Amino acid sequence: MAETYTPDTRVTIGNLSLKNPVLTASGTFGYGEEFADFMDLGSIGGFIVKGTTLNHREGNPYPRMAETPSGMLNAVGLQNKGVDYFIDHIYPRVINYGSEAIVNVSGASVADYVEVCRRLQDRAPEIKAIEVNISCPNVKQGGMAFGTTCDGAAEVTRAVRAAWNGTLIVKLSPNVTDIVSIARAVEDEGADSVSLINTLLGMAIDVERRRPYLSTVTGGLSGPAVRPVAVRMVWQVAKAVKIPVIGLGGIMTGRDALEFIMAGATAVEIGTANFIDPAAPQRIAEEITDYLRRHNFASVADIRGII
């Protein structure tokens, strides 16, 4: 193929068509607009806004972030101003960047998830997809409490599916013994896709001060340290379900993203890398295209699950 050939990087997740497989991970990219000065948001497939709940949340007390070897711990606790604020103030702006805006939805109860989805459905018609967070380890109610059992994951997915007509992505927790069974459970209840992994539950101690670094004691571990675990889980789930899998966990470069795609992921999410390089998602999308061109692949689909 000629050096100027441009491979086809388009991917489809449910009814969502993306120009390339690169998304951003919720909680690491704000509402997208904060990064507009550093990269072209229209250069990536989409961005997933911070976790959105029914009501305003202050999040956890500080300190709630700590650096660890090859990663970081966070216990932010879903700080946000609630779904109504998002619809009234953020939504009108984020739909104009030439990239799909996806809302990450969280709740303390099944009813909370449903009500957030209903409001988005009724009042934010340009939002074509949501990512249902049943895997956050940093809240006392909801989040991971729903995502660690097949019954809990299925209950939330079933209820949200009845309230949401768009593409439904369910974000899974790695803090389980059998992530494949949970992926199958949400697929059976109508999920269009699953994203994995969310952070691993971790802890770090300041030995000089003899106390945990985080106010919550434990938090979510992300970054390159978790990538081998994430790749393994994506590989397991991609073999077990028919719906698209979105892979995330420690992706810093295009090569990292390609690991997930070769393991079976349709798309990837960039998270911790955004704190280090705010242009990382655009760079990673370009590196994926460059790889495909150098190895004479016509499309990104040609390498999906190739291992």
Side-chain angles (χ1 to χ4, degrees), residues 129-170:
I130 58 170
E131 181 182 60
V132 175
N133 183 357
I134 57 169
S135 49
C136 178
N138 301 320
V139 291
K140 294 179 180 179
Q141 293 178 301
M144 198 171 73
F146 292 113
T148 53
T149 67
C150 290
D151 289 344
E155 180 185 8
V156 174
T157 305
R158 182 166 55 250
V160 169
R161 181 74 285 172
W164 177 254
N165 295 329
T167 296
L168 171 55
I169 304 163
V170 179

Coordinates of all heavy atoms in Angstrom, one line a residue, residues 129-170:
A129 N -25.1 8.1 23.7 CA -24.7 6.9 24.4 C -24.4 7.3 25.9 O -24.0 8.5 26.2 CB -23.4 6.4 23.8
I130 N -24.6 6.4 26.8 CA -24.2 6.5 28.2 C -23.4 5.3 28.6 O -23.4 4.3 28.0 CB -25.5 6.6 29.1 CG1 -26.3 5.3 28.9 CG2 -26.3 7.8 28.8 CD1 -27.4 5.2 30.0
E131 N -22.5 5.6 29.6 CA -21.8 4.5 30.2 C -22.2 4.4 31.6 O -22.1 5.3 32.4 CB -20.3 4.9 30.1 CG -19.4 3.8 30.7 CD -17.9 4.2 30.7 OE1 -17.6 5.2 31.3 OE2 -17.1 3.5 30.1
V132 N -22.8 3.3 32.0 CA -23.4 3.1 33.3 C -22.3 2.5 34.2 O -21.7 1.5 34.0 CB -24.6 2.1 33.2 CG1 -25.1 1.8 34.6 CG2 -25.7 2.7 32.4
N133 N -22.0 3.3 35.2 CA -20.9 3.0 36.1 C -21.4 2.1 37.3 O -22.0 2.6 38.2 CB -20.2 4.3 36.7 CG -19.0 4.0 37.6 OD1 -18.7 2.9 37.8 ND2 -18.4 5.1 38.0
I134 N -21.1 0.8 37.2 CA -21.4 0.0 38.3 C -20.2 -0.6 39.0 O -20.1 -1.7 39.5 CB -22.3 -1.2 37.9 CG1 -21.7 -2.0 36.8 CG2 -23.7 -0.7 37.5 CD1 -22.4 -3.3 36.4
S135 N -19.1 0.2 38.9 CA -17.8 -0.3 39.3 C -16.9 0.7 40.0 O -15.8 0.4 40.3 CB -17.0 -0.7 38.0 OG -17.1 0.3 37.0
C136 N -17.4 1.9 40.4 CA -16.6 2.8 41.2 C -16.4 2.3 42.6 O -17.3 2.0 43.3 CB -17.3 4.2 41.2 SG -16.4 5.4 42.2
P137 N -15.1 2.2 43.0 CA -14.8 1.7 44.3 C -14.8 2.8 45.4 O -14.5 2.5 46.6 CB -13.4 1.1 44.2 CG -12.8 2.0 43.2 CD -13.9 2.4 42.2
N138 N -15.1 4.0 45.0 CA -14.8 5.2 45.9 C -16.1 5.8 46.5 O -16.1 7.0 46.9 CB -14.0 6.2 45.2 CG -12.7 5.7 44.7 OD1 -12.0 4.9 45.4 ND2 -12.3 6.1 43.5
V139 N -17.2 5.1 46.5 CA -18.5 5.6 47.0 C -19.0 4.6 48.0 O -18.8 3.4 47.8 CB -19.5 6.0 45.9 CG1 -19.0 7.2 45.1 CG2 -19.8 4.8 45.0
K140 N -19.8 5.1 49.0 CA -20.3 4.2 50.1 C -21.6 3.5 49.6 O -21.9 2.4 50.1 CB -20.6 5.0 51.3 CG -19.3 5.5 52.0 CD -19.6 6.3 53.2 CE -18.3 6.9 53.9 NZ -18.6 7.7 55.1
Q141 N -22.3 4.1 48.7 CA -23.5 3.5 48.2 C -23.5 3.5 46.7 O -23.0 4.4 46.0 CB -24.8 4.3 48.6 CG -25.0 4.3 50.1 CD -26.2 5.2 50.4 OE1 -26.2 6.4 50.2 NE2 -27.2 4.6 51.0
G142 N -24.0 2.5 46.1 CA -24.1 2.4 44.6 C -22.7 1.9 44.1 O -21.9 1.3 44.7
G143 N -22.4 2.3 42.8 CA -21.1 2.0 42.2 C -20.8 0.6 42.3 O -21.6 -0.3 41.8
M144 N -19.7 0.2 42.8 CA -19.2 -1.1 42.8 C -20.1 -2.1 43.6 O -20.1 -3.3 43.3 CB -17.8 -1.2 43.4 CG -17.0 -2.5 43.1 SD -15.3 -2.3 43.6 CE -15.4 -2.5 45.4
A145 N -20.9 -1.6 44.5 CA -21.9 -2.4 45.2 C -22.8 -3.2 44.2 O -23.3 -4.3 44.5 CB -22.7 -1.6 46.1
F146 N -23.1 -2.5 43.0 CA -23.9 -3.2 42.0 C -23.1 -4.1 41.1 O -23.7 -5.0 40.5 CB -24.7 -2.1 41.2 CG -25.7 -1.4 42.0 CD1 -25.5 0.0 42.2 CD2 -26.8 -2.0 42.5 CE1 -26.5 0.7 42.9 CE2 -27.8 -1.3 43.2 CZ -27.6 0.1 43.4
G147 N -21.9 -3.8 40.9 CA -21.1 -4.4 39.9 C -20.3 -5.6 40.3 O -19.6 -6.2 39.4
T148 N -20.4 -6.1 41.5 CA -19.6 -7.2 42.0 C -20.4 -8.5 42.0 O -19.9 -9.6 42.4 CB -19.0 -6.9 43.4 OG1 -20.1 -6.6 44.3 CG2 -18.0 -5.8 43.3
T149 N -21.7 -8.5 41.7 CA -22.5 -9.7 41.5 C -23.2 -9.7 40.2 O -23.6 -8.6 39.7 CB -23.5 -9.8 42.7 OG1 -24.5 -8.8 42.6 CG2 -22.8 -9.7 44.0
C150 N -23.5 -10.8 39.7 CA -24.3 -10.9 38.5 C -25.7 -10.4 38.6 O -26.2 -9.7 37.8 CB -24.4 -12.4 38.0 SG -22.8 -13.1 37.4
D151 N -26.3 -10.7 39.8 CA -27.7 -10.2 40.0 C -27.7 -8.7 40.1 O -28.6 -8.0 39.5 CB -28.2 -10.8 41.3 CG -28.5 -12.3 41.2 OD1 -28.6 -12.8 40.0 OD2 -28.7 -12.9 42.2
G152 N -26.8 -8.1 40.8 CA -26.8 -6.6 41.0 C -26.5 -5.9 39.6 O -27.2 -4.9 39.3
A153 N -25.5 -6.4 38.9 CA -25.2 -5.9 37.6 C -26.4 -6.0 36.6 O -26.7 -5.1 35.9 CB -24.0 -6.5 37.0
A154 N -27.1 -7.1 36.6 CA -28.2 -7.4 35.8 C -29.4 -6.5 36.1 O -30.1 -5.9 35.3 CB -28.6 -8.8 35.9
E155 N -29.6 -6.3 37.4 CA -30.7 -5.4 37.9 C -30.6 -4.0 37.4 O -31.5 -3.4 36.9 CB -30.8 -5.4 39.4 CG -31.9 -4.6 40.0 CD -31.9 -4.5 41.5 OE1 -30.9 -5.0 42.1 OE2 -32.9 -4.0 42.0
V156 N -29.4 -3.4 37.5 CA -29.2 -2.1 37.1 C -29.3 -2.0 35.5 O -30.0 -1.1 35.0 CB -27.8 -1.5 37.5 CG1 -27.5 -0.1 36.9 CG2 -27.7 -1.4 39.0
T157 N -28.7 -2.9 34.8 CA -28.7 -2.9 33.4 C -30.2 -3.0 32.9 O -30.6 -2.3 31.9 CB -27.9 -4.0 32.8 OG1 -26.6 -3.9 33.3 CG2 -27.8 -3.9 31.3
R158 N -30.9 -3.9 33.4 CA -32.3 -4.1 33.0 C -33.2 -2.9 33.2 O -33.9 -2.5 32.3 CB -32.9 -5.3 33.8 CG -34.3 -5.6 33.5 CD -34.7 -7.0 34.1 NE -34.5 -7.1 35.5 CZ -33.6 -7.8 36.1 NH1 -32.8 -8.5 35.4 NH2 -33.5 -7.8 37.4
A159 N -33.0 -2.2 34.4 CA -33.8 -1.0 34.7 C -33.4 0.2 33.7 O -34.2 0.9 33.2 CB -33.6 -0.6 36.1
V160 N -32.1 0.3 33.5 CA -31.6 1.4 32.6 C -32.0 1.2 31.2 O -32.4 2.1 30.5 CB -30.1 1.6 32.8 CG1 -29.5 2.5 31.7 CG2 -29.7 2.1 34.1
R161 N -31.9 -0.1 30.8 CA -32.3 -0.4 29.4 C -33.8 0.0 29.1 O -34.1 0.5 28.0 CB -32.1 -1.9 29.2 CG -32.5 -2.4 27.7 CD -31.4 -2.0 26.7 NE -31.5 -0.6 26.3 CZ -30.5 -0.1 25.5 NH1 -29.5 -0.8 25.0 NH2 -30.6 1.2 25.2
A162 N -34.6 -0.1 30.1 CA -36.0 0.2 29.9 C -36.2 1.7 29.9 O -37.2 2.2 29.3 CB -36.9 -0.3 31.1
A163 N -35.2 2.5 30.4 CA -35.4 4.0 30.4 C -34.6 4.7 29.4 O -34.7 5.9 29.1 CB -35.0 4.5 31.8
W164 N -33.7 4.0 28.7 CA -32.7 4.6 27.8 C -32.8 3.9 26.4 O -32.6 2.7 26.3 CB -31.3 4.5 28.4 CG -30.2 5.1 27.5 CD1 -29.3 4.4 26.7 CD2 -30.0 6.4 27.2 NE1 -28.5 5.2 26.0 CE2 -28.9 6.5 26.3 CE3 -30.5 7.6 27.6 CZ2 -28.4 7.7 25.8 CZ3 -30.0 8.8 27.2 CH2 -28.9 8.9 26.3
N165 N -33.0 4.8 25.4 CA -33.1 4.2 24.0 C -31.8 4.2 23.2 O -31.7 3.6 22.2 CB -34.2 5.0 23.2 CG -35.6 4.9 23.8 OD1 -35.9 3.8 24.4 ND2 -36.4 5.9 23.7
G166 N -30.8 4.9 23.7 CA -29.6 5.1 23.0 C -28.6 3.9 23.3 O -29.0 2.9 23.9
T167 N -27.4 4.1 22.9 CA -26.4 3.1 23.1 C -26.1 3.0 24.6 O -25.8 4.0 25.3 CB -25.1 3.4 22.3 OG1 -25.4 3.3 20.9 CG2 -24.0 2.4 22.6
L168 N -26.1 1.8 25.1 CA -25.9 1.5 26.6 C -24.6 0.7 26.8 O -24.5 -0.4 26.4 CB -27.1 0.7 27.1 CG -27.0 0.2 28.5 CD1 -26.6 1.3 29.5 CD2 -28.2 -0.5 28.9
I169 N -23.6 1.4 27.4 CA -22.3 0.8 27.7 C -22.3 0.6 29.3 O -22.7 1.5 30.0 CB -21.2 1.7 27.4 CG1 -21.2 2.1 25.9 CG2 -19.8 1.1 27.7 CD1 -20.3 3.3 25.5
V170 N -21.9 -0.6 29.7 CA -21.8 -0.8 31.2 C -20.4 -1.0 31.5 O -19.6 -1.8 31.0 CB -22.6 -2.1 31.5 CG1 -22.5 -2.3 33.0 CG2 -24.1 -1.9 31.1

